[in-house]
Amino acid sequence: MRPSTGQDSCRQPARVIVANQSPKLLALYREDGINLDQLMALTLSADHAVQERTWFDAQPWDKTPAALRRRLTVGEVEAAGSALVRFVGIEVYEAAGGVVRRDLFDDEQSRFLSDPALLERLATEKLEAVAATVREEGWKWVEARLSVDSQVLRQFAPCAHANRKPTAAEQQEFDALERRAVELEQQAQALDDAPEWSPDEAEMIDLEEQDIVARRKAIHEALKTWTPEQKAHAGVIVTIGRDGDVEVIRGLVRDEDRRAIAGAVRQNGAMDHRDTQGACDEDEGAPSPSAAPERRAPGCSEALTKRLAAHRTMALQSMLAQNTAVALASVVHVFVLRTFGADYPREASALQVTPQLSAFALEAMADDLRASRAWQAVQQAKEAWHTRLPEDQGEWLWWLIGLPQGELIDLLALCGALTVNALPGAGAAGSANAIAAALGLDMADWWEPTAEAYLNHVPKAQIIAALKEAGPGLAGGDVEAMKKDALVSAAASRLAGTRWLPEPLRRSPG
């Protein structure tokens, strides 16, 4: 017999289930040929033949408890990680007659729903109830779908919206969220400065920050409005988000409705048209209403992620301004989107191209941006061209027409570069990453982990990890015992010239 251990004595409930196990597997357990966790995984089936087949047919490297559960639950839905299960609820599913298979401890990692059809029916009924409420808003169509991906959304064009002013209650809540976000940032800084801190405390702060971001997004979504004329030609998809919550995607226009909505815009006149510009235009520069949140690097706060992204954007601008081939292709890409993305005429202007310079948005994210190499390079290029332009703006067009084509392309590269926005939430991660790859962007050429740029914004443990990663011996000198200020100063000096980068600047974000 296998000797009793303290671990076994803590698992007395397992022996009740083991009593119903296959005799062959029990004999193997006594000979240490299978461990208790594996045996427990096999209890998902009460059929001895199925238990034995699952075990003996598996490859030696494919006999982990998780692998055994997967083999036993083919065609079933695992509760852990399923948005559909979270949306419906296991209790509702069981109340409707659904069967849930559980292993010994019946935790979130070991629940399997054996009737996917029932689960989907319950989810559809729940979504339809939400869709019924949304239909009262006056949309042309409202659909309830269990899942929606980017390929599905590409079948629709977004219908432009206006933002109403927040109510007093909404503004009050938004202000409260802002204040709480500041408090959490202060708590996180205090945690960084503390000689000892618990990962649980840091996780609680991070989770609350994520909740604040989600609530802010919900408030902004609630401020969106569409005119009755727009709703008469547009629709809504009600679906399930990745966290198991209801997601309502409003303002979607089908191909057959584009001309109709364009006609409605024309009837409202040129001024109204400008207010509803792009009502049925497929603008790939705008974030999708259901786009997944961009991934935040581990150990980086939301503010630091945006700070690093601002520096990366500035470096992209500087390099793009020097690469006319990529810049020209990028600008032409904008024209192609505008030219072929819609099939109704634009009346407000003969040429509707509206560059959005990103400098103010970038500075708002990184207050040290003006001191960066990229910023200085861009400003030098701007100044060089500014001194060449005629004083009278009315002469600029004729001056540009007379400019040699090579110089015109150089100027186009600079102007196009100044519109680049690779910040999280801009909805253009794919485009920004493609441009970065084409340019061969290496942020080590443009950025260093100074106190202002990075070290002041991360905890001591992360600074020490950076030193260890940057090179042998850089984490010496008893850095663990240093106060935060001293560690930041020492790390800035040691990391200078090492070309070390934090994870968000090594990879392609998104």
Side-chain angles (χ1 to χ4, degrees):
M1 290 289 291
R2 176 175 170 150
S4 176
T5 64
Q7 184 181 29
D8 286 342
S9 65
C10 291
R11 293 184 172 179
Q12 293 296 333
R15 298 184 179 177
V16 177
I17 293 182
V18 168
N20 295 319
Q21 269 284 2
S22 157
K24 289 184 180 180
L25 294 176
L26 285 176
L28 194 62
Y29 172 68
R30 297 187 183 99
E31 297 170 1
D32 288 337
I34 182 173
N35 64 42
L36 186 58
D37 288 332
Q38 293 167 323
L39 207 61
M40 288 162 51
L42 291 170
T43 61
L44 281 170
S45 173
D47 188 322
H48 291 182
V50 172
Q51 294 173 0
E52 293 169 8
R53 185 167 59 250
T54 301
W55 175 260
F56 291 110
D57 288 354
Q59 296 294 329
W61 45 264
D62 197 30
K63 291 185 175 182
T64 63
L68 295 173
R69 290 190 187 95
R70 283 196 299 271
R71 292 171 65 89
L72 286 168
T73 57
V74 173
E76 300 181 1
V77 179
E78 186 175 3
S82 170
L84 202 62
V85 173
R86 285 195 292 269
F87 177 67
V88 173
I90 288 183
E91 296 78 7
V92 173
Y93 168 81
E94 288 185 304
V99 176
V100 179
R101 294 214 285 176
R102 297 172 168 89
D103 75 358
L104 176 64
F105 292 107
D106 187 26
D107 59 19
E108 286 288 338
Q109 301 301 321
S110 55
R111 296 182 182 186
F112 297 87
L113 284 64
S114 58
D115 193 343
L118 173 61
L119 180 66
E120 291 184 0
R121 178 173 66 80
L122 294 172
T124 300
E125 291 173 354
K126 188 173 181 180
L127 280 179
E128 283 291 350
V130 177
T133 302
V134 176
R135 289 187 182 99
E136 297 175 359
E137 298 176 7
W139 297 96
K140 179 178 181 179
W141 55 269
V142 178
E143 294 181 359
R145 300 193 184 191
L146 295 181
S147 62
V148 174
D149 56 22
S150 58
Q151 185 174 1
V152 170
L153 290 175
R154 278 198 292 269
Q155 301 173 14
F156 306 97
C159 185
H161 65 273
N163 287 323
R164 63 173 174 81
K165 290 184 178 180
T167 65
E170 288 169 335
Q171 187 62 54
Q172 185 177 8
E173 181 180 4
F174 192 82
D175 293 342
L177 290 172
E178 291 288 342
R179 290 192 297 270
R180 183 55 182 159
V182 172
E183 292 173 358
L184 289 173
E185 185 69 25
Q186 293 172 345
Q187 291 178 20
Q189 186 61 50
L191 207 61
D192 292 345
D193 296 337
E196 295 182 2
W197 54 275
S198 165
D200 291 339
E201 294 178 283
E203 183 179 11
M204 289 178 62
I205 292 175
D206 186 59
L207 289 174
E208 189 172 352
E209 286 179 335
Q210 293 179 34
D211 290 340
I212 289 175
V213 171
R215 186 56 198 148
R216 281 173 174 166
K217 180 181 178 182
I219 293 175
H220 285 301
E221 286 294 320
L223 299 180
K224 294 180 179 179
T225 61
W226 291 265
T227 65
E229 291 80 9
Q230 288 175 310
K231 290 182 179 181
H233 301 288
V236 181
I237 290 179
V238 180
T239 188
I240 302 171
R242 62 174 57 193
D243 294 324
D245 299 323
V246 175
E247 184 175 2
V248 182
I249 308 173
R250 293 177 171 86
L252 301 177
V253 182
R254 291 170 171 157
D255 286 340
E256 60 267 26
D257 292 322
R258 293 186 186 184
R259 294 184 183 277
I261 199 171
V265 169
R266 285 196 295 271
Q267 291 175 6
N268 288 334
M271 183 60 70
D272 288 341
H273 175 68
R274 280 193 291 270
D275 293 339
T276 57
Q277 178 181 340
C280 63
D281 187 16
E282 286 186 274
D283 186 355
E284 294 187 6
S288 165
S290 64
E294 297 182 16
R295 181 165 61 94
R296 185 196 304 177
C300 290
S301 66
E302 182 182 4
L304 178 56
T305 298
K306 291 180 178 179
R307 174 183 289 270
L308 297 176
H311 278 276
R312 182 175 184 267
T313 301
M314 200 70 235
L316 271 176
Q317 289 189 1
S318 183
M319 291 191 68
L320 192 61
Q322 302 300 318
N323 192 316
T324 55
V326 177
L328 184 60
S330 301
V331 173
V332 170
H333 180 238
V334 175
F335 281 86
V336 168
L337 289 177
R338 289 293 185 184
T339 302
F340 300 101
D343 55 7
Y344 68 93
R346 299 173 174 274
E347 298 180 351
S349 172
L351 184 63
Q352 279 195 336
V353 178
T354 310
Q356 298 292 331
L357 301 182
S358 57
F360 291 113
L362 300 181
E363 283 192 88
M365 296 299 104
D367 53 12
D368 61 333
L369 198 62
R370 285 179 175 267
S372 70
R373 302 171 196 167
W375 179 280
Q376 294 169 11
V378 167
Q379 295 308 307
Q380 289 175 4
K382 284 179 62 180
E383 184 60 29
W385 276 104
H386 189 264
T387 57
R388 295 183 58 185
L389 288 170
E391 291 186 7
D392 184 358
Q393 288 190 15
E395 300 177 7
W396 285 5
L397 178 58
W398 290 110
W399 182 81
L400 290 171
I401 291 173
L403 204 63
Q405 186 177 20
E407 293 187 51
L408 186 63
I409 292 176
D410 289 341
L411 178 56
L412 178 61
L414 173 63
C415 294
L418 295 178
T419 69
V420 171
N421 186 346
L423 291 173
S431 171
N433 293 339
I435 293 172
L439 293 170
L441 174 66
D442 183 350
M443 281 304 298
D445 295 333
W446 301 95
W447 183 91
E448 282 193 343
T450 63
E452 295 77 13
Y454 183 74
L455 300 172
N456 283 339
H457 308 282
V458 295
K460 290 175 56 178
Q462 203 162 331
I463 297 175
I464 295 170
L467 289 169
K468 292 178 179 178
E469 187 178 286
L474 293 183
D478 199 20
V479 292
E480 287 85 355
M482 290 184 180
K483 295 288 188 182
K484 177 70 178 289
D485 291 345
L487 177 60
V488 167
S489 178
S493 176
R494 297 181 189 185
L495 289 172
T498 64
R499 297 182 66 82
W500 178 86
L501 295 173
E503 196 265 345
L505 296 184
R506 301 177 204 168
R507 60 180 172 86
S508 296

